[in-house]
Amino acid sequence: MTTSNVVIIDYGMGNVGSVQNAVASLGYPVKISCDASDIESASHIILPGVGAFGDGMNNLHNFGLVDILYQAVVVKKIPFLGICLGMQLLADKGYEFGEHAGLGWVHGEVKKLIAPNLPLPHVGWDDIVVEHPEQNILFAQLPDTNFYFLHSFHFNGVESSLITSTCEYGQKFVASFRQENIFAVQFHPEKSQVSGLHVLKNFFQYA
Amino acid sequence: MLKTRLIPCMLFNGFNLIKTIEFTNIRNLGNPTQMARVYNSRHADELIFIDMKATEDHRPPLYDVVENIVKECFMPLTIGGGIRSLEDIERFLKIGADKVALNTIVLQNPEFLKQAAEKYGRQCLVVSLDVKKVDNEYSVFTDRGRTNTGITALNWAKQVENLGAGELFLNSIDRDGQMGGYDCTLVSQISGGVSIPVIACGGAGKVQDIIDVIQIGHASAAALSSMFHYSGHTFNTIKQRMSEAGIPVRLI
């Protein structure tokens, strides 16, 4: 049985406290860190994030995290969960306040939601449609399909076989995807009470 | 489908939770950490915590009080009261607040909102408007409802939307604590003039008031305080009735 050791990446983009609270409440040892040795020895890595795409990428570069994360996640294949901005940064490019290069781990581009006559950001509890339920690790035995969203941009152009759930707000958009050990969710599981804590628990049970 | 949010609002005076009527007549309600725990266990959609004394005490919300509240909340938390710098915003986001509510600082320095939006993204910035009707016009007030800024609510709402507000927290001073219904005329005027979500606050007394502020006022969310403390209602009983009235809500 592997000892769990969850590392939440601190790259100055807010929100780490609430993710830590949620993980700790589930009983898993958890550390907030941007240190290479912590990241390399993690059993699970979470990249949270609240804020703008450009700032997110600048901070990942300035904290020297781009290569460390690539080695840990893409090469070593440590289970990884990107949340909200942490999901969006995985893209090739983002278009918030100008064009910015992303990490490029998962093909696609981050664009503004097309939601005519609807307020933006898309904020509040919204329900997801789970794709491929029989293979879907994160949403196994989900108590409720409502999750908390807070975003104006979405991850566009994800290959359809990778999509694990969608949501609709003005347009249909990807609410979560999975590429091997890389899981990503647009909603905030740490803020989605029972459903969110359930998703986190399922993620930690994947090894 | 996006669910309409029901949001309890906690007002704090530096020591206790309080309630007000027309922003005065203060009464104590107890401990914020315990109240947050109760709201979380009852599956509140979000929580708003405003430190009403912060601005006049020249300080941001009390850090350790917020830290304790964050530990009880697995739903979104908005923190407001006396936030005046980008560092303040960063500190609260870092410990677990999801959004910050800004009021006085934006009136004093609108450019600040623009800077905050560029740095943190508008989705975590809620601008609070305290509004009173004066000579048949809805005016923005400051200094805990004591000073008329002379700016109309609609003009200010549009300005802050342009500058980078993600949501508006619209407080009716006239209806505050009265439990006599929201000011749906005010709410629909503001909701109709902006394209960002409006959280209406001030006046909820019965379930029909909440239904009205959503269906007539077109608010995206209904915030309330007195009604949770002084009526027999729980979130679920209110939401059940909202659902029956055709409003999409999260029911657990």
Side-chain angles (χ1 to χ4, degrees), chain A residues 10 12-18 21-22 25 50-52 55 96-97 118-127 144 146 148 150-152 168-169 188-195 197, chain B residues 1-3 5 39-41 43-46 70-71 73-77 90 93-99 117-124 166-167 195-197 220 249-252:
Chain A
D10 180 8
M13 295 307 290
N15 190 231
V16 285
S18 41
N21 282 332
S25 79
V50 170
D55 283 332
E96 186 174 5
F97 293 132
L118 287 174
L120 275 181
H122 172 217
V123 54
W125 294 87
D126 212 333
D127 52 283
D144 184 70
N146 283 297
Y148 194 83
L150 177 54
H151 63 120
S152 303
E168 192 145 348
Y169 189 73
H188 287 272
E190 74 283 9
K191 292 284 152 175
S192 297
Q193 283 172 344
V194 279
S195 305
L197 294 175
Chain B
M1 161 155 285
L2 192 63
K3 307 299 182 291
R5 295 169 280 157
Y39 285 140
N40 183 67
S41 70
H43 307 297
D45 292 326
E46 286 190 34
V70 161
K71 291 194 172 108
C73 289
F74 299 108
M75 69 281 193
L77 177 63
E90 182 140 355
L93 293 181
K94 196 157 186 177
I95 57 164
D98 301 279
K99 297 179 250 181
E118 276 167 20
K119 187 155 182 158
Y120 300 109
R122 65 192 300 151
Q123 59 263 31
C124 65
E167 289 179 281
S195 57
I196 53 177
S220 298
V249 286
R250 178 179 152 249
L251 278 167
I252 307 238

Side-chain angles (χ1 to χ4, degrees), chain B residues 19-59:
Chain B
K19 79 167 287 297
T20 54
I21 296 177
E22 293 183 55
F23 278 36
T24 60
N25 293 331
I26 292 173
R27 295 176 70 175
N28 280 342
L29 291 176
N31 179 285
T33 309
Q34 284 168 4
M35 194 62 65
R37 189 178 304 143
V38 169
Y39 285 140
N40 183 67
S41 70
R42 304 249 172 97
H43 307 297
D45 292 326
E46 286 190 34
L47 185 56
I48 295 174
F49 173 83
I50 305 287
D51 186 337
M52 273 185 67
K53 279 284 258 69
T55 295
E56 67 187 59
D57 288 352
H58 303 292
R59 57 167 178 79

Side-chain angles (χ1 to χ4, degrees), chain B residues 23-252:
Chain B
F23 278 36
T24 60
N25 293 331
I26 292 173
R27 295 176 70 175
N28 280 342
L29 291 176
N31 179 285
T33 309
Q34 284 168 4
M35 194 62 65
R37 189 178 304 143
V38 169
Y39 285 140
N40 183 67
S41 70
R42 304 249 172 97
H43 307 297
D45 292 326
E46 286 190 34
L47 185 56
I48 295 174
F49 173 83
I50 305 287
D51 186 337
M52 273 185 67
K53 279 284 258 69
T55 295
E56 67 187 59
D57 288 352
H58 303 292
R59 57 167 178 79
L62 296 175
Y63 189 81
D64 37 9
V65 172
V66 174
E67 226 182 2
N68 288 334
I69 291 170
V70 161
K71 291 194 172 108
E72 304 294 338
C73 289
F74 299 108
M75 69 281 193
L77 177 63
T78 301
I79 301 292
I83 294 174
R84 316 184 53 79
S85 69
L86 296 178
E87 291 73 31
D88 285 341
I89 295 177
E90 182 140 355
R91 277 177 98 209
F92 289 110
L93 293 181
K94 196 157 186 177
I95 57 164
D98 301 279
K99 297 179 250 181
V100 292
L102 305 172
N103 189 344
T104 307
I105 185 63
V106 186
L107 285 164
Q108 289 172 345
N109 176 18
E111 192 60 25
F112 174 78
L113 180 57
K114 202 163 162 214
Q115 292 164 0
E118 276 167 20
K119 187 155 182 158
Y120 300 109
R122 65 192 300 151
Q123 59 263 31
C124 65
L125 301 173
V126 177
V127 172
S128 298
L129 282 76
D130 297 332
V131 179
K132 206 184 232 186
K133 200 168 191 181
V134 179
D135 297 331
N136 249 342
E137 207 166 52
Y138 289 114
S139 289
V140 175
F141 273 64
T142 189
D143 191 25
R144 274 175 57 197
R146 290 177 284 217
T147 309
N148 191 343
T149 63
I151 309 170
T152 69
L154 184 58
N155 278 344
W156 188 233
K158 288 181 174 187
Q159 265 190 67
V160 300
E161 179 185 13
N162 283 337
L163 288 166
E167 289 179 281
L168 297 179
F169 182 44
L170 180 62
N171 292 285
S172 165
I173 299 170
D174 300 309
R175 301 295 178 105
D176 172 54
Q178 307 277 22
M179 296 177 70
Y182 291 93
D183 187 337
C184 290
T185 309
L186 165 64
V187 177
S188 82
Q189 188 194 83
I190 304 300
S191 299
V194 296
S195 57
I196 53 177
V198 174
I199 304 165
C201 195
K206 48 190 198 305
V207 180
Q208 191 60 43
D209 295 334
I210 297 166
I211 293 170
D212 287 344
V213 83
I214 304 300
Q215 293 183 331
I216 300 171
H218 304 295
S220 298
L224 55 175
S225 179
S226 302
M227 196 172 153
F228 287 129
H229 298 285
Y230 297 110
S231 74
H233 288 291
T234 64
F235 301 118
N236 274 343
T237 61
I238 299 171
K239 282 179 166 186
Q240 196 60 55
R241 292 265 308 274
M242 288 169 76
S243 179
E244 285 159 18
I247 299 171
V249 286
R250 178 179 152 249
L251 278 167
I252 307 238

Side-chain angles (χ1 to χ4, degrees), chain A residues 167-184:
Chain A
C167 184
E168 192 145 348
Y169 189 73
Q171 63 166 98
K172 194 167 169 181
F173 66 89
V174 174
S176 65
F177 61 71
R178 177 193 170 188
Q179 180 171 280
E180 296 179 80
N181 58 307
I182 299 171
F183 295 82

Side-chain angles (χ1 to χ4, degrees), chain B residues 3-23:
Chain B
K3 307 299 182 291
T4 298
R5 295 169 280 157
L6 199 59
I7 308 177
C9 181
M10 303 204 297
L11 281 186
F12 186 65
N13 68 353
F15 297 102
N16 288 308
L17 287 184
I18 55 170
K19 79 167 287 297
T20 54
I21 296 177
E22 293 183 55
F23 278 36

